Amino acid sequence: MSRYEAVIGLEVHAQLLTRTKAFCSCATAFGAPPNTQVCPTCLGLPGALPVLNGKAVELAVRTALALDCAVRQESIFARKNYFYPDLPKGYQISQYDRPFSEHGHLDITVEKKGAEAVTKRAGITRVHMEEDAGKNTHDRGDVSVVDLNRSGTALVEIVGDPDLRSADEAVEYLKTVREILVFIGVNDGNLEEGSFRCDANVSIRPVGESKFGTRTELKNINSFKFVREAINYEIARQESVLECGGKIIQETRGWDEKASKTFSMRSKEEAQDYRYFPEPDLPPLVITEAFIETVRSTMPELPVAKRARFVRDHKQTPYAAQVLTTHPEVARFYEEAGALHGDFVKVGNFVQGEVLRDVRTSGLSATFPVTASQVAELLKLVDAGDISGKQAKEVYGKMVGTSKTPREWVSELGMQQVTDAAAINTVCQRVVDANPKQAEALKTGKVAMFGYFVGQVMKETKGSANPQMVNDALKRILGV
Ligand code: ADP
Ligand code: MG
Ligand code: ZN
């Protein structure tokens, strides 16, 4: 047991899914040739004026509401001044002392070894709007290059309270934030492409101490795995510094993936004074009560509510509800197929057992191997006794990537389930006649032997006989 407790607060930067940038009409599409999505405003040319993107405000408010934040009716944009080659204006438009929203919270599920998972509420300090910078690349030998396509893209920054106490809690918090943003359609959740980024503030204090220790800030870590590793490394590093009688210095640290270590980037003394001041080129941001209500009334269902509904209305297990909501499109597909078929549990099982294996997701979109109506129809064929469950899986395998209906495949594969009572009876009789010893054993009480007969009949019919009818016929012939 460590003598220390970790204290962690996270800052998330999430790119809002607007078609155009925060303060100009340049496109935001990822992957365009460098410096092709720029204009005087996002290049910071003298005299160019920003005009706020209304869609960005809507998505930002949606974010704030999903995190249960209070929305300020009049907030202020501020200039955060610093010099860097990816920031042509020499300042970033952000929000400072009057952000548009504050005081929210988020519930995370914390797993503890050997104990039941518990729900923990983590505070959200604030959510504010800002613009992104461009991107520097340093892999061209002697030169560094700058791509300003991303410059001016609309972001929300979500600042969390220092409520987290372990790397696991921090990762759970991040996954929960990401899931919410993806489900409400404001962010594509892509850590690799940098549209969802996080900084982790980490400090430690002796167990029982109420004052916080000095924190370090870990910058821009681009995967959940690295977040966990970087925080754990940083906790251990701080412990060893304190144990050796040293002091933690407030600094910004980076994560070295290759060495699996954090390293110092700059200390507090070197930290810049951003000289924040109100942005003179933009009026105060006014968000009316009516606007908030409109956003609230069009808010997509949050993942937690969706799971609860799947458990309550569809009789899914909590585990199944979790799996069926791993992506908004998966949930939508399952609900569509379920509604067409009628039995959500059957459809949920089939989606989990077969379909999910072949689903490919990318950001907010997903491609499915088959359509929801193909799944519903296929399972209806099973219900009608036309094919067995085993045959349904085979048909599914054939159907992937084709537009043929399940019925077309069933007849093409010649796999109509045998529901002809006389035919089934004949096979059952043959199997019983060929196994007199087993039949005797069954009659003298060896109940498990019944399964042997079912198995033999299914083998003879290559799985095509209707299982219920086989059961009935065998019972009658064997007199059990
Ligand atoms: P800054 O503007 O320098 O980043 P903030 O006060 O806005 O500073 O805090 C940023 C983040 O640091 C928040 O997420 C907060 O929870 C976290 N934080 C603040 N103090 C501590 C601390 N002592 N230990 C860990 N995290 C902290
Ligand atoms: Mg910070
Ligand atoms: Zn522009």
Side-chain angles (χ1 to χ4, degrees):
M1 252 331 242
S2 169
R3 297 204 298 117
Y4 296 97
E5 170 184 63
V7 172
I8 303 155
L10 300 175
E11 293 162 89
V12 168
H13 289 88
Q15 212 174 85
L16 295 173
L17 282 171
T18 52
R19 218 171 31 75
T20 58
K21 295 184 180 181
F23 302 110
C24 62
S25 53
C26 290
T28 54
F30 184 81
N35 299 306
T36 55
Q37 295 171 348
V38 291
C39 73
T41 301
C42 56
L43 286 173
L45 300 187
L49 289 172
V51 177
L52 181 59
N53 180 337
K55 186 70 188 174
V57 177
E58 182 191 331
L59 296 183
V61 170
R62 197 187 286 176
T63 305
L65 295 179
L67 297 170
D68 274 313
C69 289
V71 175
R72 182 178 260 120
Q73 300 227 352
E74 190 174 305
S75 66
I76 301 290
F77 284 103
R79 286 190 183 180
K80 178 178 179 177
N81 300 280
Y82 65 93
F83 172 78
Y84 208 61
D86 63 10
L87 188 74
K89 288 201 297 289
Y91 60 86
Q92 176 194 28
I93 302 180
S94 181
Q95 295 195 298
Y96 186 50
D97 53 357
R98 286 167 70 190
F100 84 92
S101 77
E102 292 171 294
H103 311 308
H105 57 79
L106 172 75
D107 290 334
I108 61 173
T109 309
V110 186
E111 311 269 353
K112 285 249 163 65
K113 266 213 188 83
E116 237 173 86
V118 290
T119 300
K120 168 168 178 157
R121 179 155 287 188
I124 302 288
T125 317
R126 56 192 263 153
V127 178
H128 68 246
M129 290 181 72
E130 60 185 31
E131 60 176 337
D132 210 344
K135 195 168 166 39
N136 294 334
T137 305
H138 309 289
D139 61 358
R140 310 284 161 94
D142 289 350
V143 294
S144 285
V145 291
V146 187
D147 177 8
L148 294 171
N149 281 352
R150 210 178 64 185
S151 167
T153 298
L155 306 178
V156 278
E157 174 168 348
I158 302 166
V159 182
D161 291 344
D163 286 347
L164 308 165
R165 296 291 174 266
S166 68
D168 285 347
E169 284 186 18
V171 169
E172 197 51 40
Y173 170 96
L174 279 179
K175 287 186 172 169
T176 308
V177 171
R178 175 173 177 267
E179 179 182 73
I180 290 174
L181 300 189
V182 168
F183 269 77
I184 63 175
V186 308
N187 178 258
D188 65 15
N190 197 324
L191 277 77
E192 271 154 47
E193 288 177 5
S195 45
F196 183 95
R197 307 196 283 272
C198 108
D199 304 335
N201 298 271
V202 180
S203 65
I204 60 171
R205 60 183 174 186
V207 172
E209 169 67 61
S210 61
K211 275 213 315 274
F212 288 150
T214 303
R215 73 184 148 112
T216 58
E217 181 170 0
L218 310 179
K219 275 284 179 201
N220 286 331
I221 324 168
N222 68 354
S223 81
F224 291 132
K225 178 170 167 272
F226 292 152
V227 168
R228 181 178 280 113
E229 289 177 8
I231 292 175
N232 279 331
Y233 178 89
E234 189 56 19
I235 292 170
R237 187 192 69 83
Q238 293 185 12
E239 282 185 9
S240 68
V241 169
L242 294 187
E243 284 298 298
C244 296
K247 269 176 90 173
I248 306 300
I249 49 170
Q250 190 170 344
E251 61 183 351
T252 302
R253 298 178 71 87
W255 174 244
D256 180 341
E257 288 174 25
K258 292 206 183 78
S260 289
K261 284 177 169 176
T262 63
F263 61 92
S264 179
M265 292 169 77
R266 55 180 179 269
S267 72
K268 180 85 189 294
E269 284 72 54
E270 301 159 57
Q272 33 230 327
D273 171 4
Y274 292 121
R275 296 180 295 120
Y276 276 100
F277 64 86
E279 166 60 65
D281 291 340
L282 286 165
L285 169 59
V286 175
I287 300 173
T288 63
E289 204 53 56
F291 184 78
I292 295 171
E293 278 321 305
T294 308
V295 176
R296 202 190 296 282
S297 65
T298 54
M299 173 81 82
E301 187 175 36
L302 295 180
V304 170
K306 207 180 271 299
R307 285 196 275 275
R309 184 165 58 78
F310 288 179
V311 169
R312 189 186 62 233
D313 296 353
H314 300 170
K315 308 289 175 239
Q316 295 293 353
T317 63
Y319 176 78
Q322 181 75 41
V323 176
L324 294 168
T325 53
T326 44
H327 189 277
E329 284 300 304
V330 168
R332 189 198 52 71
F333 181 96
Y334 149 73
E335 285 213 78
E336 188 184 331
L340 288 169
H341 178 274
D343 186 329
F344 284 92
V345 171
K346 275 187 191 164
V347 169
N349 286 341
F350 195 82
V351 170
Q352 291 174 79
E354 307 299 317
V355 183
L356 274 182
R357 193 174 50 232
D358 305 314
V359 175
R360 299 284 168 269
T361 61
S362 155
L364 286 195
S365 58
T367 43
F368 289 86
V370 295
T371 64
S373 78
Q374 280 175 317
V375 168
E377 205 189 313
L378 180 62
L379 295 181
K380 278 185 185 169
L381 291 179
V382 178
D383 293 345
D386 291 345
I387 54 171
S388 66
K390 194 157 160 267
Q391 288 174 319
K393 289 182 186 175
E394 206 182 321
V395 174
Y396 167 78
K398 295 284 180 194
M399 207 160 58
V400 167
T402 75
S403 57
K404 273 190 206 156
T405 66
R407 194 172 285 287
E408 282 165 346
W409 272 115
V410 164
S411 64
E412 184 161 333
L413 295 168
M415 61 163 48
Q416 260 344 330
Q417 179 168 243
V418 178
T419 52
D420 174 350
I424 287 176
N425 210 46
T426 308
V427 180
C428 289
Q429 188 66 56
R430 196 162 62 228
V431 167
V432 172
D433 291 346
N435 297 284
K437 265 194 230 140
Q438 285 83 348
E440 198 48 41
L442 179 65
K443 280 176 195 154
T444 54
K446 200 153 177 234
V447 188
M449 198 54 84
F450 190 74
Y452 170 79
F453 284 100
V454 175
Q456 289 302 305
V457 172
M458 290 320 253
K459 206 164 138 194
E460 281 219 7
T461 59
K462 298 196 176 64
S464 68
N466 178 301
Q468 190 55 51
M469 293 177 74
V470 169
N471 263 282
D472 294 346
L474 282 173
K475 275 186 188 154
R476 203 178 53 251
I477 295 167
L478 290 161
V480 290

